[in-house]
Amino acid sequence: MTSDNRYPVFDGHNDVLFDMYYPESGGGRTFFERSERGHIDLPRAIEGGFGGGFFAVYVPNDPEGRKIPEYQPVYREDGYEAPMVPELEMAYAQSTALSIAGVLFRIERESGGRLKVVRTADELAECLRDGTIAAVFHIEGADPLDTNLNALYVLYEAGLRSVGIVWSRPNAFGHGVPFRFPSSPDTGPGLTDAGKALVRECNSLGIMLDLAHLSERGFWDVAGITDAPLVVTHTAAHALCPSTRNITDKQIDAVGESDGMIGVNFNVRDLRADGRPEPDTPIEEIVRHLDYIAGRIGIDRVGLGSDFDGATVSSHIGDVSGLRKVVAALQEHGYDDAALRKITHENWVRVLRATWKG
């Protein structure tokens, strides 16, 4: 498989900041040195043609960043289920989020211009042209935000340009889906009044709203309020893999009607028809989901949303250095030059240009 630099991949989601912040997860690795741990570092990013993406600030349930056994999925013959994790205390969520966000800005400062935290679509497009890694400051789960939304304004001034309303737990703004297969994503309540206010304020500021992890009722609440395109940064087609984390045909169609964007997740248990966390999963599973979504809403509204450093990724990809293999698989499947440009980066630039202010 071969690919080239015409197709820098702007990626819908990664959790590398989590790995950089928590020693138990990242093993003390740094962003600037090649490692065999995790999925993203600078040398592997360059090798894979990684043009940048949404760098998530995710606050874990455990202050040490450890996986809590009682909340891990239990696998059965016909699927799996994990208990819903409890809501976080805002003081812990806020202080931790600031610390993890600091990792992103430290990487930017120490990168010597090789990575830039972008705040406008023009900055993003320029980075993709000149080979600078473009990082979007994103929070995965609005747990660090107060319901008066004062912190939202502070974080916006610091560079925040994307907010995931929930992770897979409840917070003051809405309800995330539990990890469950097979299951509908209609697993609980939608947005709270504070969540509806958050949608309106993000619209006003020009902050993108990410509907990944959100309950189906919450998705429809956002769709009924927002004046921006609907975006789900890392998900897949529920019709092909009935995981709670995936979105239904009706939701996919709503994203299309809003001229929004869906990033196809690399997490194998959200791709495989059997929902199993099997690393030996062909790259063609990604192509299958991308085909399905593009077939419903068009090639202009689909891209990649890997979930690197936060998911079990196919061993045939390995890590960010394997992105060229994904692009090559799409080429071999018949996607032409114009389609590949859209899938790898142009669609993300378009939807962010339509969402961000200034």
Side-chain angles (χ1 to χ4, degrees):
M1 286 186 171
T2 59
S3 177
D4 59 45
N5 291 325
R6 290 177 295 169
Y7 311 116
V9 174
F10 187 79
D11 181 40
H13 189 88
N14 76 68
D15 287 297
V16 68
L17 301 179
F18 181 90
D19 257 17
M20 298 291 107
Y21 183 73
Y22 289 100
E24 182 168 306
S25 178
R29 67 192 183 96
T30 77
F31 187 77
F32 300 105
E33 296 177 352
R34 189 183 188 93
S35 173
E36 297 305 314
R37 294 183 65 112
H39 291 141
I40 297 179
D41 52 46
L42 184 62
R44 287 182 289 176
I46 294 169
E47 183 179 330
F50 178 70
F54 293 80
F55 282 63
V57 171
Y58 159 72
V59 180
N61 307 304
D62 179 76
E64 301 300 321
R66 297 169 296 195
K67 292 184 177 180
I68 304 175
E70 57 263 40
Y71 296 118
Q72 298 309 300
V74 175
Y75 285 87
R76 310 177 302 271
E77 186 174 337
D78 63 341
Y80 60 83
E81 183 170 3
M84 179 67 86
V85 297
E87 188 171 341
L88 300 179
E89 293 184 4
M90 197 197 75
Y92 156 69
Q94 195 168 91
S95 63
T96 304
L98 290 174
S99 296
I100 297 173
V103 175
L104 174 60
F105 291 105
R106 183 172 295 171
I107 289 171
E108 179 186 38
R109 181 170 182 172
E110 295 174 358
S111 73
R114 293 173 291 180
L115 180 145
K116 177 180 176 63
V117 178
V118 296
R119 294 164 171 81
T120 69
D122 285 345
E123 287 181 344
L124 169 56
E126 183 179 356
C127 285
L128 290 168
R129 284 193 300 269
D130 69 19
T132 302
I133 292 176
V136 175
F137 175 15
H138 166 76
I139 58 172
E140 185 176 25
D143 313 71
L145 303 180
D146 59 285
T147 54
N148 291 325
L149 302 180
N150 293 320
L152 181 70
Y153 275 81
V154 174
L155 291 171
Y156 176 80
E157 292 300 324
L160 180 70
R161 292 297 182 270
S162 178
V163 170
I165 299 173
V166 292
W167 183 68
S168 286
R169 61 187 168 219
N171 62 27
F173 303 97
H175 294 260
V177 293
F179 294 103
R180 186 185 300 159
F181 177 98
S183 175
S184 161
D186 185 12
T187 58
L191 299 186
T192 64
D193 288 344
K196 294 172 184 177
L198 174 63
V199 172
R200 296 186 183 98
E201 210 65 24
C202 285
N203 283 174
S204 175
L205 286 168
I207 295 174
M208 194 197 83
L209 287 161
D210 178 13
L211 308 188
H213 289 275
L214 187 61
S215 69
E216 186 174 359
R217 290 184 220 180
F219 176 98
W220 294 117
D221 284 343
V222 175
I225 298 169
T226 188
D227 60 13
L230 300 176
V231 178
V232 192
T233 60
H234 57 304
T235 187
H238 190 270
L240 303 183
C241 173
S243 157
T244 52
R245 282 279 292 106
N246 291 341
I247 59 175
T248 66
D249 287 353
K250 187 177 178 182
Q251 290 174 290
I252 292 170
D253 293 347
V255 173
E257 289 164 9
S258 77
D259 203 18
M261 183 71 189
I262 295 170
V264 174
N265 195 351
F266 290 8
N267 193 341
V268 294
R269 72 180 185 192
D270 292 324
L271 296 172
R272 296 171 59 96
D274 61 7
R276 306 303 291 181
E278 173 53 62
D280 187 18
T281 295
I283 295 174
E284 285 68 28
E285 287 295 300
I286 295 170
V287 179
R288 185 171 71 106
H289 282 262
L290 195 146
D291 263 354
Y292 185 88
I293 295 167
R296 292 195 70 90
I297 62 175
I299 197 65
D300 294 319
R301 301 177 185 93
V302 67
L304 303 176
S306 70
D307 205 6
F308 279 140
D309 284 310
T312 300
V313 173
S314 166
S315 59
H316 301 279
I317 299 171
D319 53 43
V320 70
S321 68
L323 281 175
R324 295 190 191 278
K325 297 178 182 178
V326 178
V327 175
L330 292 166
Q331 286 176 314
E332 291 175 5
H333 188 68
Y335 285 99
D336 64 14
D337 179 75
L340 289 170
R341 288 179 180 276
K342 290 177 179 182
I343 293 166
T344 56
H345 59 280
E346 288 180 352
N347 290 344
W348 282 118
V349 175
R350 175 193 61 78
V351 81
L352 291 173
R353 194 176 295 283
T355 303
W356 290 349
K357 308 284 188 185

